[in-house]
Amino acid sequence: MNSIRFCLCSPPALIASAIVFLSNMDLQARPHANATSTIDLRRAEEQALAHNVEIRNAHLDRGLSNEALTSAWRDFLPAVSVTYRRNRTVARRNFDNGRYSVQLNISQPVYDGGRSSFRLEESEIRRSILRTRMKQLRNDIRYKARKRYLEIQRRISTIELRRDSLKRSAHMAEKARIQFESGVITRIDLEEIRNRHETIQIDLKSAKRKLQEAVHNFCLLTGNNQASFPGIQLLNLQNLEVSSGHLNLDSLISRSLDSHPEIRQARKSLRLAIQKLELARQYYLPRLALTARYGKTGEDWPPETSE
């Protein structure tokens, strides 16, 4: 039967080491644990961020937004083109007629109804939205990593409590057996104590299964191999203090409305929609540009006659 083994150490620091093994189904305490091979909370967050596919896609989207912003800046730069033509006429006599033409064209946009400015601002807003989305995504992944990390620790603590309860229950069951044989208690009392002992055994097995499930979920998030999972470093939460400071409900609501990533993203999207509406209203406006051209033509190469 498969089991879960774990060990607890008690260093004086705020972190205690725990190693979870998924090879057997009984619970065994080990006197020593290699804390350097276990996973701490910061490493768990880093593994979750590196393993997440949405983070990778967000990096690609951010790269595309940077390219779109660079492309939007190009609309303000002059357009330069070089044209080369060669015409060749085959005559009926023993000679051919040819003509070469080279032209340099430069066009500098002056006014386009705000289209270039809008595309630039749109690219900046989209990049800002992606940056906000990336930050929110990273925070969500960190939260999930911490939640599943602490879930393992909670399951380990539950198993420890079930073990202690099982020891006490076994002692009480043995004491009840002796009392029953001595006639101090009735069989009903003895069976009641035995039933409680069996219930604690069932609870212990259930706690082991839940620990295995917690480790499985943690490995799915962080990309660790469950078969070779090294375990986690247990956090010492005995001296944990949670302080709300000077925050109250109204202050929390105000901060959420001002700085929540989704609300900030919605405001930027609204700003982008307003800009699109303004651009649509001005679409009929003409475009102005300064254009210059210089070229040379001739029957020989290089051509020498200026156009």
Side-chain angles (χ1 to χ4, degrees), residues 2-5 20-25 208 211-213 215-216 219 225-229:
N2 291 335
S3 83
I4 301 174
R5 296 186 305 169
V20 181
F21 298 91
L22 302 175
S23 54
N24 309 314
M25 204 52 216
K208 293 177 182 179
L211 173 60
Q212 189 172 8
E213 180 182 355
V215 172
H216 174 71
C219 291
N225 186 0
Q226 187 174 355
S228 58
F229 179 62

Side-chain angles (χ1 to χ4, degrees), residues 62-230:
R62 189 171 62 177
L64 292 175
S65 67
N66 292 333
E67 292 297 328
L69 181 61
T70 303
S71 177
W73 274 109
R74 295 193 187 103
D75 294 340
F76 295 92
L77 301 177
V80 180
S81 63
V82 178
T83 304
Y84 167 77
R85 292 195 303 269
R86 179 187 178 186
N87 299 328
R88 183 180 180 186
T89 302
V90 179
R92 295 183 179 180
R93 301 187 181 90
N94 295 328
F95 62 90
D96 299 337
N97 293 326
R99 190 170 186 82
Y100 299 90
S101 175
V102 178
Q103 290 184 353
L104 174 64
N105 300 288
I106 301 177
S107 179
Q108 173 62 54
V110 176
Y111 178 76
D112 60 356
R115 296 176 182 86
S116 299
S117 299
F118 169 76
R119 279 192 292 269
L120 178 61
E121 186 173 2
E122 180 185 19
S123 300
E124 291 177 345
I125 292 177
R126 291 191 183 280
R127 187 177 67 168
S128 178
I129 291 176
L130 290 175
R131 188 186 300 115
T132 303
R133 177 176 173 270
M134 170 72 79
K135 182 179 179 180
Q136 181 182 2
L137 184 59
R138 292 177 68 90
N139 289 337
D140 290 343
I141 294 173
R142 287 194 182 98
Y143 169 75
K144 290 180 181 179
R146 295 176 184 180
K147 183 178 180 181
R148 297 189 183 184
Y149 188 99
L150 293 176
E151 179 66 15
I152 294 178
Q153 178 164 338
R154 186 170 74 90
R155 296 302 178 186
I156 292 175
S157 301
T158 301
I159 290 176
E160 276 292 283
L161 293 175
R162 295 290 184 270
R163 285 185 61 204
D164 294 339
S165 299
L166 185 62
K167 290 179 181 179
R168 292 193 298 268
S169 176
H171 177 71
M172 293 179 59
E174 180 63 20
K175 182 179 179 180
R177 184 187 64 81
I178 296 175
Q179 291 177 344
F180 172 73
E181 292 176 353
S182 302
V184 178
I185 61 175
T186 63
R187 177 170 292 277
I188 295 178
D189 296 332
L190 176 63
E191 293 299 328
E192 183 179 355
I193 294 175
R194 287 179 174 177
N195 288 338
R196 287 202 298 265
H197 180 66
E198 293 177 356
T199 301
I200 295 175
Q201 287 179 328
I202 295 174
D203 292 341
L204 178 59
K205 293 179 181 179
S206 176
K208 293 177 182 179
R209 289 193 297 269
K210 291 180 179 179
L211 173 60
Q212 189 172 8
E213 180 182 355
V215 172
H216 174 71
N217 294 333
F218 180 83
C219 291
L220 287 179
L221 181 66
T222 58
N224 284 285
N225 186 0
Q226 187 174 355
S228 58
F229 179 62

Side-chain angles (χ1 to χ4, degrees), residues 39-46 145-146 149-150 233 235:
I39 300 174
D40 58 9
L41 185 57
R42 177 175 297 180
R43 184 181 171 191
E45 293 177 4
E46 294 174 352
R146 295 176 184 180
Y149 188 99
L150 293 176
Q233 294 182 9
L235 303 176

